Amino acid sequence: SQKIEQNSEALNIQEGKTATLTCNYTNYSPAYLQWYRQDPGRGPVFLLLIRENEKEKRKERLKVTFDTTLKQSLFHITASQPADSATYLCALSGGSYIPTFGRGTSLIVHP
Amino acid sequence: GAGVSQSPSNKVTEKGKDVELRCDPISGHTALYWYRQSLGQGLEFLIYFQGNSAPDKSGLPSDRFSAERTGGSVSTLTIQRTQQEDSAVYLCASSLGPEGHQETQYFGPGTRLLVL
């Protein structure tokens, strides 16, 4: 069955450092992959989308890579700030309008 | 413009009662999704509406769950004879749909349901 894995342990980093979050998947051939941010008590907010034929996408301090051979996406936040603290979800879609979401990884940026 | 809105924001009910949750999608968005998120869990897909097409109900966990979308806009998720395991946050999302950039979903703030 399709499986999406995100690190369940929170990632703790120091302000100014680069945060790297991982999304691995199995039994899946996604056409595209999305990253969302979710704050406590709020719905997820879309951040970036990357397609299967794209290796890398950037938006301001955010960078996403997509390796369909490794079946992995990496999500980077450079020059991290305490305001970046949140849970980050990856979502995969392929052949369907219904994406499958990972459970998310919590990021905590310490001042 | 206005984002996706959901009501109520919180709902406490007794086991066995019926509840209705409402979602107002972004104007012009033809696709609407309902998800459920339990504490510490990922988003669980429930149902998908696209325009006037028959909804994809493949994620509904039991026949106690139903949803409708009137006039291609507002949607209501109904849970009959609620059980304690129904306690969760119910999230609604909308997207432009197949004629637009359908991949990006815009989520509402969710309805927190607690079944006592």
Side-chain angles (χ1 to χ4, degrees):
Chain A
S1 61
Q2 298 170 346
K3 194 173 180 182
I4 301 173
E5 292 183 351
Q6 292 188 259
N7 197 337
S8 59
E9 289 186 12
L11 176 63
N12 285 271
I13 65 168
Q14 208 63 34
E15 182 177 10
K17 300 293 186 183
T18 296
T20 298
L21 305 175
T22 304
C23 176
N24 294 300
Y25 59 92
T26 55
N27 297 325
Y28 212 135
S29 296
Y32 50 87
L33 185 149
Q34 302 178 72
W35 282 90
Y36 288 79
R37 168 183 173 143
Q38 187 172 24
D39 290 282
R42 302 280 188 98
V45 174
F46 170 77
L47 295 174
L48 279 169
L49 179 150
I50 186 166
R51 300 183 188 280
E52 60 179 337
N53 59 350
E54 297 175 316
K55 296 292 185 185
E56 182 179 299
K57 203 80 166 282
R58 292 176 184 261
K59 179 182 176 182
E60 298 173 349
R61 294 185 295 113
L62 309 180
K63 184 178 85 171
V64 171
T65 62
F66 194 9
D67 189 325
T68 54
T69 301
L70 292 178
K71 296 186 182 295
Q72 180 182 79
S73 174
L74 299 178
F75 177 78
H76 306 274
I77 305 176
T78 58
S80 59
Q81 305 165 0
D84 295 326
S85 299
T87 296
Y88 292 86
L89 309 173
C90 71
L92 279 70
S93 300
S96 165
Y97 296 125
I98 303 166
T100 303
F101 284 81
R103 291 189 177 187
T105 298
S106 175
L107 172 66
I108 303 170
V109 181
H110 299 277
Chain B
V4 177
S5 61
Q6 293 186 245
S7 61
S9 54
N10 292 280
K11 177 72 177 179
V12 181
T13 190
E14 294 179 348
K15 177 181 173 181
K17 300 285 189 183
D18 297 352
V19 295
E20 280 190 356
L21 312 180
R22 176 186 168 107
C23 172
D24 278 275
I26 293 173
S27 178
H29 281 194
T30 62
L32 187 148
Y33 305 75
W34 281 99
Y35 294 91
R36 178 168 71 175
Q37 188 174 35
S38 302
L39 190 63
Q41 300 297 310
L43 290 171
E44 177 188 2
F45 165 74
L46 297 177
I47 189 168
Y48 163 67
F49 294 91
Q50 172 49 54
N52 296 319
S53 303
D56 181 336
K57 304 178 182 180
S58 60
L60 295 178
S62 77
D63 58 8
R64 297 186 295 104
F65 289 71
S66 63
E68 62 178 23
R69 189 179 184 191
T70 54
S73 181
V74 172
S75 177
T76 302
L77 177 69
T78 302
I79 308 174
Q80 295 178 310
R81 305 180 302 281
T82 52
Q83 304 294 312
Q84 288 180 332
E85 59 263 29
D86 299 333
S87 298
V89 176
Y90 289 81
L91 289 160
C92 174
S94 70
S95 65
L96 277 172
E99 302 305 318
H101 190 225
Q102 76 273 22
E103 299 92 347
T104 299
Q105 298 191 357
Y106 298 84
F107 284 84
T111 293
R112 282 145 199 82
L113 174 66
L114 177 61
V115 182
L116 300 177

